[in-house]
Amino acid sequence: MMKSWSPASRREDLQKLFQGYASGRPALPARALLRFLHQEQMELEATEETAERLIGTYEVEEAARGSGSMTFDGFLRYMESREGCVFNRAHACVYQDMEQPLSSYFISSSHNTYLTGDQLVGESHLDAYVYALRKGCRCLEIDCWDGPDMEPVVYHGYTLTTKIRFRDVVATVEQHAFQTSAYPVILSLENHCSEEQQEVMAQHLISILGNKLLSAPLPQAAAGGLPSPNRKVQVAPVLSDLVIYTSSVKFVSFSHAKQHQSHCENSSVAEKKARRLLRASGADFVQHNQRFLSRIYPAGSRTSSSNYNPQEFWNVGAQLVALNFQSLGLPMDLNHGRFQDNGGCGYVLKPPVLRSSRSFDPGCSKHSHKPTNLLLKTTCPLCLCPKVISASNLPVPRGGKALDPLVRVEIHGTASDSQRRSTHAVKSNSLSPHWDVNMDFSLRVPELSLVRFCVRDQTGLFSSDFVGQYTLPFSSLKKGYRWVPLLSRDGCSLDPASLFVFVWHS
């Protein structure tokens, strides 16, 4: 990933940086480049070998390469490469411990995956499963009902949503399950079928998925089967014995779960009830999610397929925070930002604060910022200080006028950490708006936080329209002078549009 070109203002910003370390010379010696890496980019692990590698990679002038130095053109190429991106490229690969119990991970999860529209009359389509899997989703929901000619169907029961065949859903999953991620796909089966058609379901799973079915006990692997909340379903042995049958049990209380719930049972809880639980006892919810799987799903009142903010449930360690992937906006931006970490594999190891035996309540504002297994007595917050410098090549609507862009930097984390700051708007400048605005954020639990850069077009005194955004975990944020890629509302790249920022935190 290399930025295609920079406007004059971006080149001027980088030229000043370059000249500050070149000290009047036409090129940066390796030692000067190393000093820049240490002092500005805060890459303290960099060595002279690092500087020499960068020169060899990005410098195109033979004379400079031969003398072990970097011209401004080489410096520009380096700064606009993947190594200059605000997202830590080491996190673009799977780097976390993948041998922990399943309850130790956030898992990218979809609600009513088959739907492409609303929950009442929307279309059910196989493409919805393809879309979710390509977005890194690892937990798919399949609502199964008796269909004609002994063929189970998938749709949102008791509504006018269209129906698709269960066997076609399984075939689609088989074809696309591991194109984006090699890690397991959890099939959350909401089972409303008769025993006869459950046997048909089992036959399709065996014949289509074959040896891709897992046969290890939880938590190393999982397949889901959720009984209907509306009526008692007798589960056919051939289906329940097929792989791992992790039944969904009704959540009664945290103490009841400790005494009666098995590790192979999960609780599927609607967002409103889950919100009441976390507000009543966030610490108990965190501890519950250290032992058991919790699946949170949108309220039934969200008939338009809108989404809740997933961050509040990640804060208590809920693993399967299911969203309507077909609905664009902030919740899906956060979901994409959370799960681009760890190679985009759909599994992100929960931070130590959610896996520790020590009590943690995300609703309490007095926590240490240190990423450790223990909550220390100090309440000194971490200070995040981004500087929004400029942008380049912002997209303009067809036939539209130049934008009046502003940048909003948002923190999404615990309640006490969630906040936002904005720059002023720059009038009629889509190509190279310049802000040079310093911001500061105080974070007590940064390891749970997401940072969102959002560009908006000011349309009135108190109104603005979305232009592009980029969200990433605080833990994946690189320090120093960095460029920020921008994504459209549907998550597609807006390249060559980008922001130029300076990031520092203590």
Side-chain angles (χ1 to χ4, degrees):
M1 178 168 52
M2 180 87 71
K3 300 305 297 168
S4 55
W5 67 282
S6 296
S9 62
R10 177 75 60 85
R11 293 179 67 93
E12 290 172 5
D13 291 329
L14 292 174
Q15 187 85 50
K16 291 177 183 177
L17 277 174
F18 178 83
Q19 291 173 346
Y21 286 85
S23 302
R25 291 169 292 198
L28 281 177
R31 287 187 178 181
L33 178 58
L34 179 61
R35 195 166 70 253
F36 168 78
L37 295 176
H38 286 169
Q39 296 179 3
E40 304 294 346
Q41 304 301 76
M42 286 160 272
E43 296 183 4
L44 301 182
E45 73 286 356
T47 63
E48 281 202 39
E49 288 72 22
T50 306
E52 291 167 358
R53 177 186 64 79
L54 294 177
I55 292 170
T57 301
Y58 299 105
E59 181 54 58
V60 294
E61 188 177 294
E62 288 296 332
R65 289 177 56 147
S67 64
S69 58
M70 178 179 277
T71 64
F72 175 69
D73 285 342
F75 183 74
L76 182 64
R77 286 169 57 84
Y78 156 63
M79 290 296 292
E80 300 207 328
S81 72
R82 288 187 301 173
E83 297 189 71
C85 183
V86 73
F87 180 75
N88 187 343
R89 67 174 187 158
H91 294 186
C93 302
V94 175
Y95 68 95
Q96 296 177 341
D97 180 1
M98 302 303 287
E99 300 296 328
Q100 295 298 310
L102 200 63
S103 58
S104 296
Y105 298 88
F106 295 128
I107 304 169
S108 182
S109 304
S110 168
H111 170 250
N112 289 354
T113 314
Y114 47 88
L115 288 177
T116 60
D118 67 62
Q119 304 286 315
L120 298 179
V121 296
E123 182 181 9
S124 303
H125 204 287
L126 298 175
D127 286 349
Y129 285 94
V130 178
Y131 176 80
L133 288 166
R134 287 179 176 172
K135 289 290 185 180
C137 184
R138 295 288 91 186
C139 181
L140 307 173
E141 186 170 19
I142 309 176
D143 291 3
C144 310
W145 299 79
D146 284 352
D149 303 320
M150 285 297 291
E151 279 293 344
V153 294
V154 175
Y155 83 113
H156 196 198
Y158 308 112
T159 70
L160 297 178
T161 57
T162 60
K163 301 173 182 179
I164 51 180
R165 295 194 305 177
F166 175 79
R167 69 183 302 169
D168 294 336
V169 170
V170 177
T172 299
V173 172
E174 188 278 332
Q175 182 179 356
H176 298 278
F178 304 109
Q179 292 180 352
T180 297
S181 169
Y183 287 85
V185 173
I186 300 172
L187 300 182
S188 177
L189 306 179
E190 187 171 303
N191 177 18
H192 301 263
C193 289
S194 63
E195 285 195 62
E196 293 77 14
Q197 294 216 15
Q198 287 181 47
E199 293 180 0
V200 176
M201 289 169 59
Q203 292 168 9
H204 291 329
L205 289 167
I206 293 170
S207 63
I208 296 171
L209 298 180
N211 60 8
K212 289 182 179 177
L213 289 172
L214 297 172
S215 56
L218 279 171
Q220 285 74 24
L226 307 179
S228 165
N230 301 313
R231 62 185 176 90
K232 184 72 175 178
V233 173
Q234 184 64 39
V235 181
V238 68
L239 182 61
S240 63
D241 293 343
L242 185 57
V243 275
I244 302 91
Y245 185 80
T246 173
S247 61
S248 179
V249 296
K250 181 179 180 180
F251 181 87
V252 178
S253 68
F254 296 121
S255 59
H256 182 274
K258 282 184 181 180
Q259 297 175 18
H260 303 287
Q261 190 168 325
S262 162
H263 284 276
C264 294
E265 294 175 324
N266 70 81
S267 298
S268 194
V269 185
E271 63 169 291
K272 291 182 180 179
K273 182 176 181 179
R275 192 171 292 117
R276 289 196 299 271
L277 290 170
L278 69 87
R279 289 175 179 171
S281 183
D284 287 340
F285 212 162
V286 170
Q287 291 188 347
H288 175 85
N289 289 326
Q290 292 175 358
R291 300 180 61 196
F292 309 109
L293 291 179
S294 290
R295 179 179 180 271
I296 315 298
Y297 60 92
S301 58
R302 294 185 181 274
T303 56
S304 64
S305 295
S306 62
N307 282 313
Y308 52 79
N309 187 323
Q311 183 66 45
E312 62 180 327
F313 302 115
W314 289 328
N315 286 342
V316 292
Q319 300 86 358
L320 303 165
V321 181
L323 297 176
N324 293 303
F325 270 50
Q326 73 272 31
S327 297
L328 308 178
L330 173 64
M332 281 305 300
D333 291 346
L334 299 182
N335 197 74
H336 179 268
R338 173 71 65 196
F339 289 104
Q340 71 167 317
D341 192 10
N342 203 31
C345 74
Y347 289 81
V348 172
L349 188 64
K350 294 193 291 190
V353 71
L354 293 178
R355 294 182 284 123
S356 168
S357 60
R358 300 292 295 270
S359 178
F360 170 72
D361 185 347
C364 176
S365 61
K366 296 182 179 180
H367 294 303
S368 166
H369 72 265
K370 295 182 181 297
T372 174
N373 281 345
L374 301 178
L375 292 178
L376 306 183
K377 291 182 179 180
T378 177
T379 58
C380 179
L382 176 146
C383 184
L384 170 64
C385 302
K387 179 180 183 180
V388 179
I389 302 172
S390 62
S392 62
N393 307 304
L394 297 177
V396 179
R398 289 183 181 177
K401 67 176 183 66
L403 304 177
D404 295 342
L406 60 89
V407 178
R408 193 163 69 198
V409 180
E410 306 165 358
I411 305 298
H412 296 268
T414 61
S416 61
D417 286 349
S418 298
Q419 52 198 297
R420 67 187 190 185
R421 308 274 189 274
S422 295
T423 69
H424 56 278
V426 175
K427 293 294 183 180
S428 301
N429 192 335
S430 304
L431 180 62
S432 57
H434 212 272
W435 294 280
D436 262 337
V437 172
N438 290 294
M439 301 178 180
D440 64 273
F441 300 92
S442 180
L443 306 180
R444 295 191 179 278
V445 195
E447 56 267 45
L448 276 174
S449 296
L450 296 172
V451 182
R452 184 174 187 253
F453 297 89
C454 187
V455 180
R456 302 188 67 86
D457 177 25
Q458 188 171 61
T459 57
L461 187 59
F462 301 107
S463 61
S464 60
D465 292 337
F466 176 88
V467 175
Q469 69 85 35
Y470 186 72
T471 305
L472 73 165
F474 172 85
S475 59
S476 297
L477 193 69
K478 292 280 282 184
K479 293 180 180 180
Y481 288 94
R482 304 290 171 182
W483 63 272
V484 181
L486 291 175
L487 305 178
S488 64
R489 193 176 295 278
D490 60 0
C492 295
S493 172
L494 291 174
D495 186 64
S498 67
L499 296 175
F500 186 50
V501 301
F502 178 79
V503 178
W504 177 85
H505 58 78
S506 62

